Amino acid sequence: MARIYNFSPGPSVLPAPVLEKAREDLRGWRSTGITVMEMSHRGKDFIGIAEKATADLRELLEIPQNYKVLFLAGGASAQFAAVPLNLLRGKTKVSYVSTGYWSEKAIAEARLFGEVQVSASGKESNFTTIPPRPQWNVDPDAAYLHYTANETIGGVEFQAAPEADGLPLVADMSSNILSRPVEVGRFGLIYASAQKNIGLPGLAVVIVREDLIGQALPGTPSTFDYRRQAAEGSMVNTPPTYSWYVAGLMVEWLKEQGGLKAIEARNIRKAEKLYAAIDALPFYSNPVDPAVRSRMNVPFHLADAALETPFLAEAKEAGLAYLEGHRSVGGLRASIYNAMPEEGVDALISFMREFERKRG
Ligand SMILES: *Cc1c(COP(=O)(O)O)cnc(C)c1O
């Protein structure tokens, strides 16, 4: 199979060594005579895989002891509901910052369970920037403050965790978790669906401070109850075992790459050269405020939108695929997660220069 460079926003590219390891294990897990996807989640083999993945993730992200790490089904979308169900804790209000498509999704779901105060919104700028922190209006009675660390569609990324005025800070890190170091101790809860930087879809990783759990809203389904899931090792239901296993391989791979500081340095290099290529030619443009441009998802437009179709077709011919923008915004987008090699970004930049030379 000839590999191409896969710029898909998610499910997305996996590192070649992770695919190799998974392929090897498909011949049979150790001496069991079966594969990981065929084994019981309660058997000692899978428990070993799950515990190692959890321990490695704790080490990589330097997760303090007073945090639980959960591996739950339903992706980040299920967490849009689970977060208010678990974290309202007798309060009625929650504060959300809206920076684009995924914030809006999280807000809509939270409205099913509580009163949502939108503390700040980037809507006026068409979500091309993040309102400066001093302009936010955070309700001191809110149960928590929620933000989307990286907007996968709009390409807007917080470059640091915002100040939460003493409220538990909650972040959807689906599309930038493990792309840079984070200080977990500043957060009440971090969640991320896995299919961007942690492997396969269907899984969400939830990192939650212990004192925030145990007061779920009456009527909370047991699979959504963090206390129950924590007490039962994320196995109130059968977890997405294969996605959990691949998450373990991803974390192992990141440790081999030198950890989060090393991957961050590579991510900065990749993003900087791609934005520089876009900014260098009037033929291409990126609408996002340079101070908050995403290192993971780079949306861009062609000055002549009619050239997008040939751009995509010729890029695909050149082995550069899945560059279409999200259906809600159009244009083009290159997702350059941890697993996108630097050579992939270099190849895209060369292609863009060549396309401009021919068609510009
Ligand atoms: C992809 C994504 C989601 C949704 O993930 P699902 O697995 O489809 O639930 C939520 N938030 C962000 C920031 C995302 O990138």
Side-chain angles (χ1 to χ4, degrees):
M1 174 183 75
R3 288 281 282 172
I4 54 152
Y5 289 117
N6 174 7
F7 292 93
S8 171
S12 52
V13 56
L14 294 169
V18 165
L19 290 172
E20 271 309 315
K21 186 75 187 26
R23 187 174 344 212
E24 205 177 287
D25 289 346
L26 277 179
R27 281 192 259 273
W29 172 256
R30 308 227 166 129
S31 57
T32 57
I34 61 170
T35 66
V36 175
M37 58 177 97
E38 299 168 290
M39 60 178 60
S40 164
H41 59 300
R42 301 205 188 273
K44 78 169 175 10
D45 291 296
F46 186 76
I47 296 288
I49 290 169
E51 283 177 353
K52 182 172 190 306
T54 310
D56 284 351
L57 182 66
R58 279 189 174 278
E59 186 190 326
L60 185 70
L61 263 176
E62 297 178 37
I63 301 174
Q65 277 313 309
N66 62 324
Y67 284 74
K68 300 287 189 196
V69 178
L70 309 175
F71 290 79
L72 304 177
S77 300
Q79 297 311 311
F80 291 163
V83 166
L85 281 169
N86 285 275
L87 263 48
L88 266 166
R89 295 167 296 131
K91 300 196 180 227
T92 54
K93 278 187 276 187
V94 290
S95 282
Y96 278 66
V97 179
S98 177
T99 49
Y101 182 94
W102 287 113
S103 309
E104 294 285 320
K105 289 268 190 194
I107 288 168
E109 202 70 4
R111 287 208 165 109
L112 299 174
F113 309 103
E115 188 186 323
V116 178
Q117 179 213 28
V118 178
S119 296
S121 171
K123 197 166 182 157
E124 250 172 55
S125 72
N126 202 18
F127 296 119
T128 57
T129 190
I130 296 174
R133 180 64 185 83
Q135 291 171 16
W136 297 12
N137 176 22
V138 179
D139 191 328
D141 291 329
Y144 58 84
L145 174 64
H146 178 285
Y147 76 105
T148 307
N150 181 62
E151 285 285 356
T152 320
I153 292 169
V156 166
E157 182 175 17
F158 281 80
Q159 300 304 317
E163 186 48 54
D165 286 354
L167 298 182
L169 184 61
V170 177
D172 175 359
M173 291 195 188
S174 291
S175 48
N176 70 348
I177 194 167
L178 306 183
S179 69
R180 54 167 84 203
V182 289
E183 201 187 323
V184 175
R186 287 194 53 193
F187 293 84
L189 186 148
I190 292 168
Y191 64 99
S193 49
Q195 70 274 24
K196 283 89 185 212
N197 256 341
I198 324 180
L200 305 187
L203 171 72
V205 172
V206 176
I207 302 164
V208 57
R209 216 174 63 214
E210 275 166 1
D211 61 284
L212 296 173
I213 66 180
Q215 298 176 61
L217 203 67
T220 298
S222 37
T223 52
F224 276 58
D225 185 332
Y226 294 149
R227 187 190 55 78
R228 289 206 50 185
Q229 287 287 14
E232 297 185 37
S234 306
M235 292 188 186
V236 171
N237 54 305
T238 310
T241 51
Y242 201 75
S243 296
W244 194 335
Y245 153 78
V246 172
L249 297 184
M250 292 291 279
V251 172
E252 240 170 53
W253 174 75
L254 280 169
K255 285 171 66 180
E256 284 160 21
Q257 301 305 298
L260 297 184
K261 281 216 181 77
I263 202 77
E264 177 184 42
R266 192 197 296 171
N267 288 333
I268 290 173
R269 264 199 324 271
K270 281 155 52 184
E272 277 181 353
K273 61 173 118 173
L274 183 50
Y275 285 113
I278 291 168
D279 292 343
L281 299 168
F283 188 75
Y284 298 106
S285 65
N286 165 282
V288 177
D289 172 0
V292 295
R293 281 174 165 180
S294 169
R295 292 178 189 162
M296 297 284 102
N297 308 97
V298 181
F300 58 101
H301 285 92
L302 302 189
D304 177 0
L307 289 176
E308 280 171 13
T309 306
F311 180 96
L312 289 167
E314 288 175 36
K316 191 146 197 211
E317 287 277 293
L320 308 162
Y322 309 108
L323 285 158
E324 27 305 84
H326 189 264
R327 58 195 146 76
S328 66
V329 292
L332 305 164
R333 170 177 47 166
S335 295
I336 51 173
Y337 298 118
N338 286 343
M340 171 58 65
E342 196 159 350
E343 302 81 67
V345 175
D346 292 339
L348 174 60
I349 292 169
S350 301
F351 172 81
M352 289 169 72
R353 290 195 181 125
E354 181 62 18
F355 189 83
E356 189 271 348
R357 209 183 47 75
K358 283 190 308 195
R359 308 288 193 111

